[in-house]
Structure formats: structure tokens, C-alpha cells
Amino acid sequence: MGLGVKFFPGRRWQSTVEGRHEIKEGTQRLAGAFLFTASQLLQPVDYVTDELDVSATYSSQRFQARVGYYGSMFRNRDESLTWDNPFAFTGTQDPATKGRLALPPDNQFHQLLASVGYQINKKTRLTADVTAGRGEQDEDFLPYTINPTVAGVQPLPRASLDGRVDTLTAYVRLNSALTERWQFNAAYKYNDRDNKTRQATYDRVITDAFVSPTSRTNLPYSFTENVLNVSADYRIAKRTKGSLGFDYETIERTFQEVDDTKDKTFWGQLRTRAQENVDVLFKLAYADRSISDYVPVVEIFPAQNPLMRIYNMADRERLSSVLQVTVTPRETVSVGGGFEFARNDYDKSEIGLLDSREFSANLDASVQVSKKTNVHFFLNHQMIESKQAGSAGFSTPDWFQDEDDTFSTAGIGFKHMLIKNKVDIGADYVLAKSRGEIDVSSTITPSAPFPDLTTTLNSLKFYVDYHFKKRLSFNAAVWYEDYDSDDWQLDGVAPDTISNVLTFGETSPSYDLYFLSFSVRYKF
């Protein structure tokens, strides 16, 4: 349920109050393990979320300002899930007969925000935004284990997490037209996440069965991000404009493999109207990420392979380009198409993601067949290729994976004015397909490619809009959707196919959907 109110206390003032109350009930998948056995479980979902948004806005010809508050409170009516071990009496010698898992804890988040915009003169504008937030979680801990027969369990170091994370984001942007040909743009962003949760050392009780000789310490992860964007636009000719830019990002982290990363991006863009009815956009960018020393986090056990590189914290070179062309041969016809390409090279990584390429092509058109009828269609094709390396022997690379993903989408639709200013009808059809190919090679054992992952979606929708009066309108829609997929991870896997895993026996998603909707809209 939601309720929102906007009111205008003055000609330049606007205030908004919005509240939302959500109750979510049902079940979702979860899994639990006992030593060498595991089973899929149904986790109860009984969530209550309350949100409040309050803001006030002032706007004049040269100055705009906004202040606001956002709050979110989440409650879970189920604190844990307890289940019987289905393998306890099947000869697997699992010592535990019951297991228990904690469910998402109650938590809350509060945030204050302020933003201003000021037109310094006709050619220069300054904007700034600041948001400060705090998230808290203080749910009581469950005991280490539900099984009283487990020996050697020590008391918990404290009763609850007493978790607290403070966030601060600031953004400043300056746009200035220095001359009739030159325009300068600069922006700076500061983003800080300060995790103030206290650290403590906890025993490790393995799957409610026995106490491990090694303990664990919680790692309150924090980071600070600084981003600088600088660009200049130059009008080369009446119909042609060029742009050059430089983006610089630094991230400082705690309790991660890399303390600092630096990202530098250089880009150029050309936008031109080749003829009265042809617009062309071309953009080229080069990015380089460098990192401080890569050191596995010592608190994480088992230890990580020292040759491993997590892709978002690894040295990387990226080259990307965009070409987009729009043709308008007449006022009633518009056709657009383009290409995008990007390559990421992780040349200093031995284990992990080594290389990836992305390519996409698109085409769309809109035709005003008559004063009452409009027809549109679109096509999109995307390919993503990646290569990664791994090590089964916790040493140098001994297996490699090549993955090729393709996505193709096509759609067509129309809108027709059946009765002028009264009744509009329309229809939309979309066909979407995807295919994932995974090929693995190993220096240890022979291997074959995995079966392809595929999906097919057909979606057809008809709708009617009836404008009863100037402020009152009705809408009715009929929607049919057909979805089919093949996933080797699910197909052919019955509940007992894997001897030490009990599954739901689900198959790849496949469904037919029929949807009917009615709505009423009234403008005050």
C-alpha cells in the first residue's frame, strides 16, 4: 500500500510526503548442509517493510534547492529456519539430526539529502548534492548450534552484531559555455561507506556437528571512492560538435585483497548532422586500471590461491567504441541503427578472468502511417565472449574456460486512434532468444563442452485506452507470454539423482502466461 501527497504552499515551493507499507509472504529456495550431505529447503518469507519519503523543493529562475528525508524499516517475522537432517539415518553417519539457519534480520536505514542548483550567469551553472545515511542492525544472535550434544562450544562474544554503517555521498557539477564554440564541464563525486560494526572472534561450528579448531573474525568492510570527470565540447561547424574527456576514479578499501585501485579513462566523441536528415554519433574510449599490491585477506579461511585476481580489483585495459546513425527521410519516418564494441584485457591476471569482449548491434524504426496510426519495430543482437583460467591443484593454471553468450531481441507494434480524443488501441509483439556456450579445457583430465543454455520468450499484448473525460481515462489490456528454456544444471536431475544431495527435482523454467488487467486514472 502506498500514499503520496504533493502540495504547493507558495508559487515557488513544492512539498512531497510519500509512505509505503509492504507485506511479502510466501516461500523461496534455500539450502542446508551436514558435513558431506545437503538438501534444498523451503525458506518462509514473511517480511514487512515501511518506507517514508519527505521532501521540500524551492525553485526560482536562477536558484533551485531541495531537502529531504528517506527512511526504511524492515522486519522479518521469522528469525530462523529449523529442519530435520534427511540423511541422519541412511548410513551416511551424519552426527547432527537437526540444523538451523538464521534468516534475514530486522534492520533500518535513514538518509538525509540536500541539493542546490544555481545559474551563475547565462553561460554557467553550478549544481551540488549531499546525502548522508545510516544503516543499523541489532538482531539477537542465535546460539552457535541447535544440537546440545556438540562438545566444546564457548559462549558467544556478544549477544548481537550491533551493526552500523554510515554513508556519505557528495556530488558537484559545473557547466560553462566559455565562448560560442567552447563549453567546459567538470564534476566531482565523493562516496564513503564507513562500517562501524565492532569486530569480534567467533567459534566455527561446522554444520551443527562439531567445533572447528579455527575461529573467524567479522570483517567490517569499508571503502572511499573519489571520481573526477572533466570534458570540453567544441563546435567545429554549425552541424558538427566534438568532445574530449578524462575520467579519474580512485577507490580505497579495507579488508579486501586490494587496498587501492586507480581508473583512468580518456575518451573522444564526434556528433554531426551529415545532412538535414542524417545524424551521426561516434565515440571512442580507452581506460586503464592499476592496483596496489594484491594480497589475499589473511582472515579468510581456507586461503585464496595467491595467483587469483578478482576481476573488479585486477589490472585492466579497456577499449570501447560506439557508432550510432539516425536517418529521418521525412517527418513521418525515423530509422536508427548502431554498433557498440568493447574489449577488456586483464593482462596481469594468471587465475581469474583473463579477457572479455562485447559486441552489440541495434536497429529501430518508427513510421507514422497516417494521422491516426503509428507503427514501430526494433532489432537488437548482442554477443559476449570471455575467457578465464582456474587451478584445481591450488597452483598455476590447469584449466581454462571459454564462454560465448548471444542475445537476440526483435519487436513490432502499432498504435491507432480509433476515435479522435476518445479511444486508442494498440498491440506489441516481442521475441527474445539467448544461447550460452561453455567450453572447458584441462591439462589434467580430458573434458567436453557443457550443453548449451537456451531461452526463448514470445510476448504478445493488446490494449485499449478510453478517455472518458478530460481528467478520467480507462485502460484494458490482454497479455500472453510463452517462455521456454534448457538448463543442464536442472534438466534430468531428480530429487535423488545425486546420492548425497536432496533436491526439489525442478526442471528448466517453462510456462504460458495469460494476463488481463483493468485500470482507472483520474487527474485532479
Side-chain angles (χ1 to χ4, degrees):
M1 298 181 293
L3 178 64
V5 180
K6 288 185 179 180
F7 52 97
F8 306 86
R11 184 171 60 91
R12 297 177 175 177
W13 287 90
Q14 174 181 311
S15 298
T16 303
V17 179
E18 293 180 331
R20 289 172 294 275
H21 178 73
E22 180 186 83
I23 299 175
K24 187 175 182 179
E25 298 176 341
T27 56
Q28 65 185 33
R29 286 175 296 182
L30 191 66
F34 295 95
L35 288 181
F36 306 111
T37 63
S39 58
Q40 288 189 306
L41 309 170
L42 280 179
Q43 170 191 331
V45 175
D46 196 354
Y47 302 158
V48 179
T49 305
D50 291 297
E51 295 177 288
L52 178 64
D53 244 323
V54 181
S55 66
T57 303
Y58 173 84
S59 179
S60 66
Q61 186 174 0
R62 298 182 62 179
F63 179 75
Q64 298 82 38
R66 179 172 179 262
V67 294
Y69 163 81
Y70 168 77
S72 172
M73 285 181 280
F74 170 82
R75 288 184 293 123
N76 187 353
R77 292 168 175 165
D78 296 302
E79 69 170 16
S80 64
L81 173 65
T82 302
W83 75 101
D84 292 324
N85 181 1
F87 296 92
F89 306 102
T90 59
T92 59
Q93 303 302 314
D94 282 339
T97 59
K98 287 184 178 293
R100 178 166 57 184
L101 288 171
L103 298 181
D106 296 355
N107 61 78
Q108 54 184 299
F109 180 74
H110 304 274
Q111 180 174 269
L112 298 174
L113 64 92
S115 63
V116 295
Y118 182 63
Q119 193 74 32
I120 300 174
N121 52 48
K122 291 183 179 181
K123 297 181 179 182
T124 305
R125 178 173 177 79
L126 179 68
T127 58
D129 303 274
V130 178
T131 58
R134 173 171 294 179
E136 297 178 328
Q137 188 269 99
D138 197 25
E139 188 81 358
D140 288 343
F141 283 140
L142 297 176
Y144 277 124
T145 176
I146 194 175
N147 294 315
T149 58
V150 178
V153 179
Q154 301 298 316
L156 284 158
R158 56 175 184 258
S160 65
L161 179 69
D162 192 19
R164 173 182 159 186
V165 176
D166 292 338
T167 63
L168 177 64
T169 302
Y171 181 76
V172 181
R173 182 177 180 86
L174 177 70
N175 306 95
S176 181
L178 302 178
T179 67
E180 291 184 359
R181 289 180 177 268
W182 282 99
Q183 179 171 321
F184 175 77
N185 311 292
Y188 170 72
K189 178 183 177 182
Y190 174 83
N191 185 21
D192 183 71
R193 179 185 192 270
D194 185 8
N195 192 335
K196 296 186 175 181
T197 304
R198 291 181 300 158
Q199 287 188 272
T201 300
Y202 301 85
D203 285 349
R204 294 177 61 219
V205 179
I206 308 300
T207 61
D208 278 300
F210 64 89
V211 179
S212 169
T214 60
S215 58
R216 287 285 181 89
T217 301
N218 63 301
L219 307 178
Y221 168 62
S222 301
F223 70 85
T224 300
E225 177 187 32
N226 290 273
V227 182
L228 176 65
N229 309 110
V230 180
S231 65
D233 303 331
Y234 180 70
R235 186 161 296 281
I236 302 170
K238 183 178 180 181
R239 297 178 179 177
T240 304
K241 183 172 73 171
S243 303
L244 291 174
F246 173 68
D247 303 329
Y248 183 65
E249 178 192 62
T250 64
I251 302 179
E252 299 177 2
R253 303 175 174 90
T254 61
F255 299 111
Q256 296 285 288
E257 289 79 1
V258 176
D259 292 334
D260 304 289
T261 59
K262 297 179 181 178
D263 252 306
K264 302 174 186 177
T265 303
F266 302 88
W267 58 269
Q269 177 178 289
L270 183 68
R271 186 188 297 271
T272 182
R273 171 157 288 187
Q275 299 178 9
E276 284 292 339
N277 55 1
V278 180
D279 292 302
V280 180
L281 169 67
F282 177 70
K283 184 176 181 179
L284 185 66
Y286 169 79
D288 178 73
R289 180 200 295 151
S290 59
I291 68 172
S292 58
D293 291 338
Y294 195 99
V295 181
V297 182
V298 295
E299 291 89 352
I300 294 180
F301 181 83
Q304 184 186 103
N305 189 325
L307 298 179
M308 174 69 180
R309 296 293 181 268
I310 301 175
Y311 77 94
N312 68 310
M313 292 186 290
D315 289 291
R316 183 200 66 177
E317 287 186 280
R318 176 180 173 87
L319 182 65
S320 61
S321 61
V322 177
L323 175 63
Q324 194 72 31
V325 180
T326 303
V327 182
T328 311
R330 59 184 67 180
E331 291 185 1
T332 57
V333 179
S334 176
V335 181
F339 304 92
E340 292 189 30
F341 173 80
R343 176 171 181 174
N344 299 297
D345 186 4
Y346 301 86
D347 58 342
K348 295 183 181 180
S349 296
E350 294 188 56
I351 294 178
L353 185 60
L354 306 179
D355 180 85
S356 69
R357 299 184 185 187
E358 304 170 30
F359 173 80
S360 66
N362 64 85
L363 177 67
D364 62 82
S366 177
V367 180
Q368 190 75 34
V369 180
S370 66
K371 292 183 178 180
K372 294 183 177 181
T373 306
N374 177 272
V375 178
H376 60 271
F377 83 92
F378 67 89
L379 298 169
N380 184 274
H381 183 71
Q382 183 182 23
M383 296 184 296
I384 302 175
E385 300 176 357
S386 64
K387 183 180 182 68
Q388 63 174 310
S391 175
F394 200 78
S395 180
T396 55
D398 52 35
W399 64 262
F400 300 88
Q401 174 181 301
D402 292 301
E403 185 169 340
D404 296 334
D405 298 321
T406 59
F407 308 89
S408 300
T409 308
I412 188 170
F414 79 92
K415 186 175 183 180
H416 176 70
M417 183 188 298
L418 194 64
I419 302 176
K420 186 176 182 180
N421 298 326
K422 277 291 184 181
V423 181
D424 295 325
I425 62 173
D428 289 291
Y429 171 72
V430 175
L431 170 64
K433 289 191 170 187
S434 73
R435 179 175 296 274
E437 303 175 30
I438 304 173
D439 187 9
V440 177
S441 60
S442 172
T443 60
I444 303 175
T445 58
S447 57
F450 289 100
D452 291 350
L453 304 168
T454 64
T455 67
T456 301
L457 170 69
N458 287 276
S459 176
L460 180 62
K461 183 179 181 181
F462 295 94
Y463 62 88
V464 178
D465 290 322
Y466 175 52
H467 304 279
F468 183 71
K469 292 183 179 181
K470 186 177 181 180
R471 298 177 180 270
L472 180 64
S473 62
F474 301 91
N475 174 272
V478 179
W479 184 10
Y480 169 74
E481 188 170 285
D482 171 64
Y483 181 80
D484 189 35
S485 64
D486 290 313
D487 187 345
W488 55 266
Q489 299 175 93
L490 298 175
D491 295 334
V493 181
D496 60 349
T497 297
I498 308 171
S499 61
N500 62 335
V501 179
L502 180 64
T503 73
F504 291 143
E506 61 184 308
T507 58
S508 300
S510 179
Y511 64 80
D512 292 304
L513 170 72
Y514 299 89
F515 183 78
L516 181 65
S517 72
F518 299 94
S519 60
V520 180
R521 180 179 295 171
Y522 184 79
K523 296 181 180 180
F524 292 91

